[in-house]
């Protein structure tokens, strides 16, 4: 791990990866990739046209009719985001906290990224009044805000923004002339899809929103980079689409044919994909709920996880106890928990949060086991929490938090 300042705090040169599935690879995906790899170069054409057709069907089934002429692909959402930001120009607004790669991508282009506070009930979407105030301040200081990036199903907070919040924020952004990028990587991993309403900003203002989805969220292993973007209809959307394609071409940002074939297979959503996605989501939802219960019982704060394979934990209420142990910021908390838990626990500062805030993102995949056999048991067990190795991992989590609190209390000076 490389850090950018002498004390090892503040901005860092790496971002935590997307929370992984932690489950065995589907044979259908492996077969699609293998078949394309065996015929690589034989057919005389690439797999991108098939991927674009599959992506159009995928968005259409989610209420966003899309033709191949309004789509772009790239090896991962960060590449798409760089191309979109470069094509739009100007400065960017992001919620705080946000995915670890958003702000660094903007700064790498020499642009400014302005963070905006989120409402109390969710992350991923800026508070509309804070957004308006930030835009006003940036313009007064000579900035040029043109783009707002948001995620209705969020990394790192694992929340789903209520439709009324999305509506108010999108209305404010459009009123200020901003283009919107909606990162919908986690929309298909909502834990209770029949009880949770997820509203895409593209459903509200189709001519002002570009939707980006990294397929490592719902479908593909994180080591198979593939993402798709859906551009708005109309002349402005077509112009942005053309400029983004120019940037992607200049970067040589093309998905390898075998991965494109697997991505097209996944986006067509055959029965094995939909069954696995439902089972995958159910497993991670139950583990996330169990982890949430443990961290809250230990005295920490966390919004109930609603989507994804992670949750965001605030140890602020334990600051006095942790301070007695010498833990005063997110980096120190990350170092401590990563060592004690034996799994990544990236601090909130990696997601644009305050370094002084004692927050970490915990992923659920490490609780599913270390071997293929252990992970497979989680999929076939009547209850995902029943396998002994899952029980042991959850017990270990609880004991680490209990020991940490007890140990910190022993370090407190006598009153």
């Amino acid at each position: 791990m490389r850090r950018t300042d002498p004390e090892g705090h503040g901005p860092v040169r790496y971002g935590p990866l997307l929370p992984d599935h932690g489950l065995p690879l589907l044979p259908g995906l492996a077969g699609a990739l293998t078949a394309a790899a065996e015929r690589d170069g034989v057919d005389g054409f690439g797999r991108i046209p098939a991927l674009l057709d599959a992506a159009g069907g995928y968005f259409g089934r989610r209420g966003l009719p899309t033709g191949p002429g309004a789509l772009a692909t790239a090896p991962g959402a960060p590449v798409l985001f760089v191309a979109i930001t470069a094509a739009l120009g100007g400065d960017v607004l992001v919620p705080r906290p946000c995915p670890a790669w958003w702000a660094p991508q903007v700064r790498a282009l020499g642009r400014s990224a302005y963070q905006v506070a989120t409402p109390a009930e969710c992350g991923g979407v800026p508070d509309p009044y804070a957004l308006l105030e930030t835009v006003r301040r940036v313009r007064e200081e000579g900035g040029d805000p043109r783009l707002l990036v948001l995620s209705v199903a969020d990394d790192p907070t694992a929340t789903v923004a209520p439709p009324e919040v999305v509506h108010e924020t999108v209305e404010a952004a459009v009123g200020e002339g901003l283009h919107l990028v909606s990162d919908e990587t986690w929309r298909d991993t909502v834990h209770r899809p029949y009880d949770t309403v997820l509203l895409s900003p593209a459903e509200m203002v189709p001519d002002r929103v570009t939707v980006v989805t990294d397929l490592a969220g719902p479908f593909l292993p994180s080591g198979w980079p593939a993402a798709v973007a859906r551009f708005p209809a109309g002349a402005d959307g077509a112009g942005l689409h053309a400029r983004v394609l120019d940037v992607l071409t200049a970067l040589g940002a093309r998905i390898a044919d075998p991965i494109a074939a697997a991505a097209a297979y996944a986006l067509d959503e055959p029965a094995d994909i939909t069954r696995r996605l439902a089972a995958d989501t159910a497993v991670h939802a139950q583990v996330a709920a169990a982890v949430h219960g443990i961290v809250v019982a230990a005295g920490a704060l966390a919004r109930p996880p609603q989507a994804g394979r992670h949750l965001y934990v605030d140890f602020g209420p334990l600051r006095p106890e942790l301070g007695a142990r010498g833990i005063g910021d997110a980096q120190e908390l990350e170092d401590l928990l990563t060592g004690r838990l034996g799994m990544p626990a990236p601090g909130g500062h990696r997601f644009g949060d305050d370094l002084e805030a004692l927050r970490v993102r915990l992923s659920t995949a490490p609780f599913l086991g270390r071997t293929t056999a252990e992970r497979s048991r989680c999929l076939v067990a009547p209850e995902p929490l029943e396998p002994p190795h899952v029980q042991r991992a959850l017990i270990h989590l609880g004991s680490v938090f209990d020991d940490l609190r007890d140990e910190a209390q022993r370090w407190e000076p006598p009153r």
Side-chain angles (χ1 to χ4, degrees):
M1 178 168 58
R2 296 178 58 195
R3 300 167 177 162
T4 60
D5 69 12
E7 297 181 359
H9 292 161
V12 292
R13 291 190 183 276
Y14 88 99
L17 298 176
L18 288 178
D20 198 22
H21 296 263
L23 293 169
L25 181 65
L26 266 179
L29 284 175
L33 182 138
T34 301
E38 290 175 346
R39 296 191 59 81
D40 192 18
V42 174
D43 297 326
F45 61 90
R47 299 306 194 278
I48 300 303
L51 175 55
L52 294 174
D53 286 341
Y58 168 86
F59 285 117
R61 290 188 293 275
R62 285 150 182 82
L64 300 172
T66 310
L71 293 165
T73 67
V79 181
L80 276 175
F81 186 56
V82 163
I84 294 168
T85 305
L88 279 169
D91 300 322
V92 181
L93 299 116
V94 299
R96 184 175 196 178
C98 68
W101 48 272
W102 284 4
Q105 298 277 12
V106 175
R107 296 185 185 114
L109 291 171
R111 312 283 170 73
S112 295
Y114 295 94
Q115 297 175 315
V116 187
T118 55
E121 59 264 44
C122 67
V125 176
D127 176 87
Y129 298 103
L131 175 64
L132 291 172
E133 175 59 23
T134 303
V135 170
R136 182 196 63 78
R137 176 176 54 81
V138 170
R139 286 177 175 156
E140 284 184 351
E141 295 174 355
D144 182 21
R146 297 188 192 179
L147 172 63
L148 169 65
V149 191
L150 46 75
S151 55
V152 290
D154 186 43
D155 171 23
T157 65
T159 57
V160 176
E164 59 272 18
V165 173
V166 177
H167 180 83
E168 291 173 2
T169 300
V170 170
E171 191 174 60
V174 171
E176 293 298 326
L178 303 177
H179 188 81
L180 290 88
V181 167
S182 178
D183 182 350
E184 300 185 8
T185 294
W186 299 106
R187 70 165 296 156
D188 295 309
T189 66
V190 173
H191 295 173
R192 302 177 65 182
Y194 298 108
D195 300 323
T196 306
V197 179
L198 188 150
L199 176 66
S200 170
E203 297 177 64
M204 295 178 53
V205 282
D207 60 334
R208 300 295 292 275
V209 179
T210 298
V211 178
V212 173
T213 296
D214 195 312
L215 302 188
F219 300 124
L220 299 182
S222 57
W224 296 11
V228 294
R230 176 193 183 271
F231 292 85
D236 290 343
L240 175 60
H241 177 243
R243 295 194 301 276
V244 167
L245 292 181
D246 287 342
V247 176
L248 292 173
T249 300
L251 294 174
R254 184 178 182 279
I255 302 175
D257 274 358
I259 295 175
Y265 180 87
L267 287 175
D268 278 334
E269 297 182 289
D272 63 329
I273 289 289
T274 56
R275 284 195 301 266
R276 167 55 72 83
L277 180 57
D280 183 335
T281 300
V283 167
H284 285 283
Q286 291 199 41
V287 174
V291 174
H292 178 262
I294 291 170
V295 300
V296 170
L301 299 175
R303 295 187 184 101
Q306 297 175 286
R309 302 184 286 268
H310 53 284
L311 64 165
Y312 200 54
V313 184
D314 184 354
F315 286 84
L318 300 176
R319 181 176 292 277
E321 293 89 344
L322 292 170
R325 178 65 179 84
I327 307 301
D329 62 33
Q331 181 63 62
E332 292 167 347
L333 182 62
E334 173 187 310
D335 293 341
L336 179 71
L337 291 181
T338 298
R340 295 277 182 101
L341 295 174
M343 64 179 69
H349 60 303
R350 304 199 185 274
F351 307 99
D353 226 333
D354 289 328
L355 176 63
E356 292 75 17
L358 296 175
R359 300 183 184 121
V360 297
R361 187 189 71 184
L362 297 178
S363 298
T364 49
F367 294 92
L368 303 182
R370 298 180 180 277
T371 67
T372 300
E374 287 181 340
R375 295 191 291 269
S376 297
R377 288 188 64 184
C378 295
L379 284 171
V380 300
E383 294 292 335
L385 304 183
E386 283 184 354
H389 68 276
V390 178
Q391 288 289 319
R392 289 193 297 270
L394 293 171
I395 290 171
H396 176 62
L397 176 72
S399 67
V400 166
F401 288 164
D402 290 341
D403 291 346
L404 181 62
R405 183 172 52 186
D406 294 343
E407 183 178 326
Q409 289 171 347
R410 289 195 297 269
W411 277 65
E412 286 184 327
R415 293 182 173 87

